[in-house]
Amino acid sequence: MKTKILFFPLIVITLLFSCNNSQSNGITKVVNTFYKYYKGKYVGADKGLLSASLAVLIDKALEKEAASAAEVRASKSTDKPATIDGDIFTSQHEGYTGFKIGETKVEGDKAVVTVEFTNKNANVKTWKDDIVVIKENGAWKIDNVNYKGDAGAGKNIKAVLTQFSSASAAPGMMVGGDSDAHGCKASAGYTWSVLKKNCIRAFELPLKLSNPSGSTMAGVAFSEDKKQAEVFAKEGSFILTQKAENSYTSTTPDGGMFLKKGNGIWEFGTLKDGKALYAERKK
């Protein structure tokens, strides 16, 4: 009789463990599937993996973008339409190149999954965000993304979408509150390019240079006629004038900067000592 009494609780514990484990696997499977196939643009998010409320907010934001684009076309303006720019499914608008699912906390029909993201192409290499998952009509769905860092355009993805859709967005506006006078959003990695007359992200430019340790990057843009070059680096932005083929210089109070290509490699540095601060990596 004692054996039966001890055996029954063991069965209950085993069943509960199996149930919880299965539930956790279902939650992480949804998160893993979404981020595995998500391409970094919220317009392409798989709504089948999202909650109804999050899907509605996405639709409203897309409608706002479409309306703004129509207004710009109708007015024949050269302004950019209001948009949500960058990846809003993580706190880093540059997006991610890889991810790893961490701790999962389940409370009834709601769970929070911590995901560690990595981006090998951006200055911020690794960060974590909390993915909120809820059970809706018997299936687990992603309901929100809480930004754990301070780089997100809001506290979470729902706040960003709501802010954009409800705000009076002027042409050229990008979501977030740190846009400069040109509408370039710093937290999304954008800065104004004098030569391109547009908001650009240095790490997306075709020509990228890095410092000797590889920890800091500089981007280079050229004018259409190749007569000028614009370098975006940690030290600031510089406009350089062509002096010879593949050779540019600028004059500054501290002696000026150079950008030149030698032995198939672009280098950017100070004219005063001829030292290269950044160089193109060998292919």
Side-chain angles (χ1 to χ4, degrees), residues 22 85 100 104 122 125 184 188 211 225 252 257:
S22 176
D85 198 75
K100 182 172 64 175
T104 299
K125 301 296 184 182
C184 303
N211 65 351
D225 59 7
T252 60
M257 310 298 289

Side-chain angles (χ1 to χ4, degrees), residues 83-246:
T83 59
I84 290 182
D85 198 75
D87 183 1
I88 58 173
F89 273 91
T90 79
S91 59
Q92 299 295 329
H93 286 237
E94 294 85 354
Y96 59 94
T97 57
F99 70 94
K100 182 172 64 175
I101 294 178
E103 183 181 14
T104 299
K105 296 180 180 179
V106 185
E107 292 186 7
D109 288 343
K110 180 179 178 179
V112 177
V113 182
T114 298
V115 178
E116 181 179 270
F117 295 97
T118 57
N119 188 329
K120 297 179 180 179
N121 304 318
N123 290 332
V124 179
K125 301 296 184 182
T126 305
W127 70 96
K128 293 180 180 179
D129 291 318
D130 284 338
I131 316 304
V132 179
V133 184
I134 64 172
K135 183 172 282 189
E136 196 171 72
N137 298 322
W140 288 102
K141 306 282 186 177
I142 294 175
D143 184 59
N144 208 347
V145 179
N146 291 327
Y147 305 145
K148 297 186 72 173
D150 58 359
K155 293 182 178 180
N156 52 59
I157 190 172
K158 281 190 168 181
V160 169
L161 291 166
T162 301
Q163 173 195 356
F164 178 76
S165 299
S166 61
S168 178
M173 169 189 171
M174 290 183 286
V175 70
D178 63 342
S179 297
D180 63 16
H182 300 284
C184 303
K185 184 171 173 55
S187 68
Y190 282 92
T191 188
W192 178 253
S193 169
V194 173
L195 296 185
K196 297 299 183 181
K197 291 181 170 50
N198 204 349
C199 299
I200 61 96
R201 292 198 282 194
F203 61 84
E204 291 181 339
L205 293 172
L207 178 56
K208 292 181 282 289
L209 316 177
S210 62
N211 65 351
S213 67
S215 60
T216 308
M217 189 210 73
V220 182
F222 294 95
S223 60
E224 293 297 328
D225 59 7
K226 304 295 183 182
K227 296 298 184 182
Q228 289 183 302
E230 188 171 11
V231 179
F232 304 88
K234 181 180 179 181
E235 292 78 8
S237 298
F238 305 87
I239 300 291
L240 300 93
T241 303
Q242 187 179 46
K243 298 300 180 182
E245 185 178 8
N246 296 331

Side-chain angles (χ1 to χ4, degrees), residues 30-51:
V30 168
V31 175
N32 182 73
T33 301
F34 179 85
Y35 283 100
K36 181 179 179 180
Y37 296 104
Y38 176 64
K39 301 300 181 182
K41 302 293 184 181
Y42 86 104
V43 62
D46 185 352
K47 293 180 186 176
L49 299 173
L50 306 180
S51 68

